[in-house]
Amino acid sequence: MARTEQLSVRRQLRGVPVAKVREQLDPANVRSFAQSSPGRLIAFGLLLIALCLAAGWVTAGTVSDRQHALDILLDDTEPDAHSAHRLYTSLSIADAAAATAFIAGGLEPEAVRDRYSQAVGEAAAELVTQSGQAVGHSSPDHRLRTGIATGLPIYSGLIETARTNNRIGYPVGAAYLSEASNQMQTTLLPMAQELQGHRSDAVDAAQSRHVRPPWAAIALLIVTLGALGWAQRDLARRWRRTLNAGLLLASGSVLILLAWTVAAGSISAAAVIQGRDEGALPAARLTETRILAQQARAAETLKLVNRDATGDYDRTYNTGMTRMTELLAGYPKDAPAADHLAEARAALDRWRAAHQRMNETLDRGDFTGAAVVATGPGAADAAAQVEALDRALQQGLDRTRSALRGNISQAARVLDFLAPGAMALGIAAAVSVGLGLWPRLREYR
């Protein structure tokens, strides 16, 4: 009997905690607690802590992503675009140098041959450098690189055949040269131009994405700041507390983070915009001018090689000259390398004058004299002016690229401490909320 009573007492004791838990979890009791002052304080506190932590985490993640995108732009995208430009330029230089070598007849000058060989070698090297940049074998850039890599040996073979025939005095060499130049102008250069366009567009897209403000992070910070202000007002109205030190500290932390995010983001975006205006846009003008110069030079020399009387090569030359004049005249005066652009304009004018002398000499039937004007070593001859123009444009490109990369680097470095700072301020705000509400909760013990 005694054992039965003991078991009965134990069952009753075990049932007491369960009954209390059930009573506490009763929906009516839960609603009553939620509507009570302690329940509201706990709900406010949890909501504010969650908002502070989320604001810090989202801001830190957004800043880290933007900084990583700038590092990719600086380390991969921009160098790839520069490599595509060098490939395009090297192919154009090779075509112009190959045509120039034929005018001398027989064994071409060593300097001209070296220029051709160097240009072909640089083009091949850029293809190797870019071989790992394409996303996949089906990507447009990969197909373009493959097409250029396949066509370049064919072009070089035609040039060597033309050179061999030219050395032994066979006129068929000019036909091989024309075929090689036609392949370059209609196949290889258009593919190189398209590739360069894709890579330049990738740089522009990366810059445009960075210029857009991080609206998600800014909006969350504003919402968090508003929630802290609303909680402060509610505490003052319900609990007759004018100010809460913890919530004030939390509001200050979030306000500092908001101001820091807006200021650092604006400075970083301004650096990217400056890089675009002082680097990318002027470089695009210089690149187009340099390519046109080589194409005009190829047309000028091919006219002599083929004894052209149709005027096709002259039209190509004149079109290129007109466009180059427009590009150089429209170059921003406050952009880098303005001094090199003055040299380029002067060289272009002297080249135009030398070309006019070449045509006048050719019109008199003096082919040898015209060839000397086009390819001779004289300081007033066309070859010297083409070289001076290309050198000035190359120096200008180096300056504008340096400006672009310098501004991108500055844009990334401005954000260096913002991501860890955002996490620290978010955590500090959350802790301040807890410390600020805890004394109020203790009043209801």
Side-chain angles (χ1 to χ4, degrees), residues 48 51 55 216-230 254 258:
L48 293 175
L51 281 174
I218 292 174
L220 186 54
L221 287 169
I222 293 174
V223 169
T224 303
L225 195 60
L228 287 167
W230 174 77
V254 175
L258 176 61

Side-chain angles (χ1 to χ4, degrees), residues 78 82 85 89 196 279-280 282-291 331 336-337 340-341 390-404:
E78 190 279 333
H82 181 66
H85 153 69
T89 303
Q196 184 195 13
R285 283 182 170 270
L286 296 178
T287 298
E288 185 179 354
T289 304
R290 195 179 185 201
I291 299 300
Y331 189 84
H340 296 304
L341 263 292
D390 187 71
R391 182 171 57 252
L393 293 174
Q394 178 60 60
Q395 291 171 343
L397 282 167
D398 291 340
R399 292 272 296 275
T400 54
R401 188 190 183 209
S402 178
L404 172 62

Side-chain angles (χ1 to χ4, degrees), residues 132-155:
Q133 296 296 330
V135 176
H137 292 293
S138 60
S139 68
D141 287 1
H142 181 81
R143 290 195 297 270
L144 290 171
R145 293 183 179 108
T146 301
I148 296 172
T150 303
L152 187 57
I154 298 175
Y155 168 81

Side-chain angles (χ1 to χ4, degrees), residues 255-288:
L255 184 60
I256 290 173
L257 179 55
L258 176 61
W260 190 1
T261 301
V262 172
S266 299
I267 295 173
S268 181
V272 170
I273 293 173
Q274 186 176 0
R276 180 193 63 193
D277 294 342
E278 295 184 357
L281 296 181
R285 283 182 170 270
L286 296 178
T287 298
E288 185 179 354

Side-chain angles (χ1 to χ4, degrees), residues 28-289:
N29 291 333
V30 172
R31 285 194 298 271
S32 177
F33 177 75
Q35 294 172 0
S36 67
S37 294
R40 291 178 63 85
L41 277 175
I42 292 174
F44 285 167
L46 293 176
L47 176 61
L48 293 175
I49 289 172
L51 281 174
C52 291
L53 292 175
W57 181 76
V58 169
T59 303
T62 301
V63 171
S64 296
D65 290 343
R66 291 166 74 86
Q67 194 170 29
H68 181 62
L70 286 176
D71 290 338
I72 292 176
L73 174 60
L74 191 63
D75 297 335
D76 294 326
T77 310
E78 190 279 333
D80 195 20
H82 181 66
S83 178
H85 153 69
R86 285 177 56 86
L87 173 62
Y88 190 12
T89 303
S90 296
L91 292 175
S92 300
I93 291 175
D95 191 43
T100 302
F102 266 71
I103 300 177
L107 187 64
E108 63 271 20
E110 183 178 356
V112 178
R113 173 62 187 253
D114 289 345
R115 184 168 176 79
Y116 166 81
S117 300
Q118 181 181 0
V120 171
E122 289 177 354
E126 295 302 334
L127 287 172
V128 173
T129 300
Q130 298 181 34
S131 61
Q133 296 296 330
V135 176
H137 292 293
S138 60
S139 68
D141 287 1
H142 181 81
R143 290 195 297 270
L144 290 171
R145 293 183 179 108
T146 301
I148 296 172
T150 303
L152 187 57
I154 298 175
Y155 168 81
S156 300
L158 289 171
I159 290 295
E160 292 304 322
T161 302
R163 180 174 287 144
T164 300
N165 282 278
N166 188 51
R167 285 175 180 173
I168 59 181
Y170 290 168
V172 72
Y176 278 106
L177 177 65
S178 297
E179 177 61 25
S181 183
N182 180 68
Q183 185 201 13
M184 177 66 77
Q185 297 292 333
T186 61
T187 304
L188 298 183
L189 286 179
M191 287 192 292
Q193 182 181 22
E194 185 178 357
L195 177 63
Q196 184 195 13
H198 291 173
R199 296 296 85 215
S200 297
D201 290 344
V203 173
D204 293 340
Q207 291 177 310
S208 298
R209 284 193 298 269
H210 187 78
V211 169
R212 290 195 293 268
W215 292 119
I218 292 174
L220 186 54
L221 287 169
I222 293 174
V223 169
T224 303
L225 195 60
L228 287 167
W230 174 77
Q232 187 79 265
R233 176 178 174 276
D234 194 69
L235 281 175
R237 183 171 58 86
R238 288 179 174 273
W239 283 273
R240 303 295 187 268
R241 304 286 182 174
T242 304
L243 294 174
N244 184 284
L247 293 184
L248 283 177
L249 287 174
S251 299
S253 298
V254 175
L255 184 60
I256 290 173
L257 179 55
L258 176 61
W260 190 1
T261 301
V262 172
S266 299
I267 295 173
S268 181
V272 170
I273 293 173
Q274 186 176 0
R276 180 193 63 193
D277 294 342
E278 295 184 357
L281 296 181
R285 283 182 170 270
L286 296 178
T287 298
E288 185 179 354
T289 304

